[in-house]
Amino acid sequence: MTVYTRAEDVSNALFARLRTITKANGYETDIGVRAYKGRRNVDESQVPCVILIEGADSATDRPGRIPSVAITQTYVIAAYVTVAHPDNPNDDAHKVLRDIKRAVFKDDTTLGGKVLRVKYTGRDIGPRADGVPVVFVTVDLEVDYVEDLTNP
């Protein structure tokens, strides 16, 4: 089995899972219909959507195993969805949060044995003006893997 040793591989694996989030695949929302890597601005024509944002990483030396380092990479998964009831946007926000968690952790906390660990570190439902028919959520993750610095 191939183990991920590059940040790009981890990102691609998470992104592929997010793209599966459609009602046709048994999820509650269709945020995976439009998926983006790193996009910061979204307009109404792009809703529903999901965005994978790569955050900072931290490296720890692995004594006796240089040139490999233990990496903890942070990710923010953001999603926008149109709400069914503008007065109760959190109802739809919770559906999106469930869908993201199901997609990321569908088989375990190691992306199918490809990384050391995927850790859920929190979530947020973004503030919005009353009556706006769109809600924004984020899910925060940390992924631990070992990077080979000779093949980054």
Side-chain angles (χ1 to χ4, degrees):
M1 170 183 355
T2 302
V3 176
Y4 296 143
T5 61
R6 299 176 342 143
E8 184 177 16
D9 295 333
V10 176
S11 175
N12 288 340
L14 288 170
F15 189 70
R17 288 174 182 235
L18 296 173
R19 293 191 65 180
T20 67
I21 302 174
T22 64
K23 290 180 181 177
N25 287 335
Y27 290 93
E28 296 180 77
T29 68
D30 278 320
I31 61 172
V33 170
R34 286 180 204 87
Y36 305 105
K37 292 180 181 178
R39 187 176 187 101
R40 298 288 181 177
N41 295 310
V42 173
D43 64 44
E44 287 182 26
S45 70
Q46 297 161 318
V47 174
C49 68
V50 63
I51 305 160
L52 179 63
I53 301 165
E54 294 184 47
D57 71 8
S58 60
T60 306
D61 284 340
R62 300 179 72 222
R65 296 195 171 141
I66 300 300
S68 64
V69 293
I71 299 286
T72 298
Q73 173 76 48
T74 60
Y75 292 90
V76 176
I77 299 169
Y80 293 86
V81 68
T82 303
V83 298
H85 304 288
D87 290 334
N88 299 301
N90 286 9
D91 293 346
D92 292 293
H94 286 288
K95 291 177 185 178
V96 174
L97 292 167
R98 283 193 296 269
D99 281 352
I100 292 170
K101 291 173 188 176
R102 285 180 188 142
V104 170
F105 297 103
K106 70 179 182 178
D107 45 18
D108 59 21
T109 60
T110 64
L111 296 179
K114 307 280 187 176
V115 297
L116 298 173
R117 177 186 68 145
V118 179
K119 180 181 176 186
Y120 170 81
T121 59
R123 59 94 171 158
D124 187 26
I125 298 173
R128 51 180 272 301
D130 286 340
V132 174
V134 174
V135 69
F136 170 73
V137 304
T138 61
V139 171
D140 300 321
L141 304 173
E142 290 181 348
V143 178
D144 295 331
Y145 66 98
V146 175
E147 182 175 5
D148 176 358
L149 296 175
T150 65
N151 185 27

